[in-house]
Amino acid sequence: MHEHIQLIFILFPLFILAGMPIAFVLGSIPLIYIFVTDAIPLVMIPQAMFNGVDSFVLLSIMFFILAGSLMNKIGLTHDLIAFADLIVGRIRGSLAQINVLVSILFAGLTGAAVADAAAIGSMLIPAMEKEGYSKQYAAAVTATSSVIGPIIPPSIIMVIYAAVTGLSVGDLFIAGIVPGLLIGVALMVLCYYYARKENHPCRTTAIPRAQAFRIVRKSVAALLVPVIIIGGILSGMFTPTEAAAIACVYSLVLGVIVFRTVSLKAVYESFKEAAVVASMILLIISAAKLFCIMMAMEGIPQTISSYILNVTDNKFIFLLFVNLLLIFMGMILETGANVLLLVPILMPIAMQYGIDPLHFAIVVLVNLNIGLATPPLGVVLFTIVPIAKTSFESIIPKLVPFLLAMLVVLFAMTYIPDLVLFVPKLLGYGS
């Protein structure tokens, strides 16, 4: 059936360029392939798609989305911004520093870059503009810092990766902490450089002790969310799905009972939003399962594996190839789709090179998440542009240095595995 490989590689880019949603691309090509080749009975198609989402861990996706939506509606973003101001407000270029730090803190609430970009950007981009920052610079800082969201736990894309590979969600969550913090530090260093170069302002007055205490007290409610999730998983008290559900209950209690800032209508809207977004993700996963079956029938993974292993026996060159491939794919295809399509092919090859699967997972995920803020199809950029009231093209010159800073961190963690594995090993990974 190898003559049909050309059909696959022609239709895939054609459908993508035509603007077809990725779920329909992944589902329609296998259907065409099955009709042309009569490879499997049609009755097996729905069964295969169902098997793609028949995983208990995938149930946590909807709960994480729901918890993030509820946290957004509670209004805790204001508290986190105040908390970040308390920590870095006296540093030159303080609003840019706050932008990055809030993204790190907000990552523990939503696990989704677009949600972070929308929530933080709508407040901080206008504020940065009033302080004398250009719209383009403010947009670039917000877009790149929001990438931290899916890297620091909890992370929806890590749940998908775990479902595809069988890796522990808890191990993936822990392994993402240091890379996420390193990216945050790299962005803050660059913000400080531009603050000195362009004379960006900072807060000049100290925050009174009583006010600082109130800020910390209100922020604790938000900061407890990742503690509950990660602590529950690592202690063995909860599975990832149960931890996500408990985060939803905690969010409901905060919004409806404690702060009383979330109405029943808002709760309904959050449930509806979570159902819609989770359905879209699960549709992509089920369609990707069908696509992977088609690739397996054509022997595409084995062909790619044999080719790579024949080209080089050096794992460092292989990792360079993987990074270049994923940088390119991250620019043109959605993160989840890349994981579903590429990881089943690349991970077995990585293991043949002796690369730790957890290290490889974080390299892949960080790489693809950087693609969220990379032109031409970075979804975060399309979220930020209307908020900043500027054009897509005008952001790119300001964006490039921040993307390069993130790539430096990416390549450092690629070739220094302990940057990823140090914390997981402390907590018992591999023992």
Side-chain angles (χ1 to χ4, degrees), residues 126-145:
M128 290 177 73
E129 190 180 354
K130 286 181 182 177
E131 289 284 345
Y133 298 82
S134 70
K135 291 180 181 179
Q136 293 76 18
Y137 178 83
V141 173
T142 307
T144 50
S145 66

Side-chain angles (χ1 to χ4, degrees), residues 53-264:
V53 294
D54 186 19
S55 169
F56 182 69
V57 73
L58 290 178
L59 186 59
S60 66
I61 291 175
M62 190 179 77
F63 288 130
F64 280 129
I65 295 169
L66 177 58
S69 178
L70 289 168
M71 282 292 177
N72 277 331
K73 287 180 168 57
I74 290 171
L76 290 177
T77 311
H78 294 278
D79 298 328
L80 291 178
I81 289 174
F83 182 71
D85 181 40
L86 185 65
I87 297 173
V88 298
R90 301 293 291 272
I91 300 175
R92 184 172 291 279
S94 57
L95 278 181
Q97 304 288 352
I98 290 168
N99 197 320
V100 178
L101 183 56
V102 170
S103 290
I104 294 172
L105 299 174
F106 209 72
L109 304 185
T110 65
V114 173
D116 291 9
I120 297 169
S122 59
M123 283 186 252
L124 283 181
I125 290 177
M128 290 177 73
E129 190 180 354
K130 286 181 182 177
E131 289 284 345
Y133 298 82
S134 70
K135 291 180 181 179
Q136 293 76 18
Y137 178 83
V141 173
T142 307
T144 50
S145 66
S146 67
V147 167
I148 299 170
I151 299 172
I152 292 180
S155 168
I156 295 167
I157 193 63
M158 287 183 179
V159 173
I160 295 173
Y161 195 103
V164 170
T165 62
L167 286 175
S168 162
V169 174
D171 287 341
L172 286 168
F173 280 4
I174 293 301
I177 293 174
V178 170
L181 293 176
L182 288 175
I183 289 176
V185 169
L187 296 180
M188 293 177 82
V189 168
L190 196 56
C191 287
Y192 183 76
Y193 166 77
Y194 279 114
R196 295 293 298 268
K197 181 181 178 182
E198 300 178 11
N199 198 29
H200 292 154
C202 64
R203 175 167 52 80
T204 55
T205 58
I207 295 175
R209 184 173 297 178
Q211 183 182 348
F213 178 75
R214 285 195 299 272
I215 291 171
V216 172
R217 187 179 60 187
K218 290 188 71 176
S219 301
V220 165
L223 298 175
L224 277 176
V225 175
V227 174
I228 292 170
I229 294 172
I230 303 302
I233 293 173
L234 291 181
S235 66
M237 293 175 63
F238 317 131
T239 65
T241 301
E242 291 165 346
I246 288 169
C248 291
V249 174
Y250 177 76
S251 304
L252 277 171
V253 171
L254 281 184
V256 177
I257 299 174
V258 178
F259 294 123
R260 298 182 181 179
T261 52
V262 178
S263 65
L264 291 178

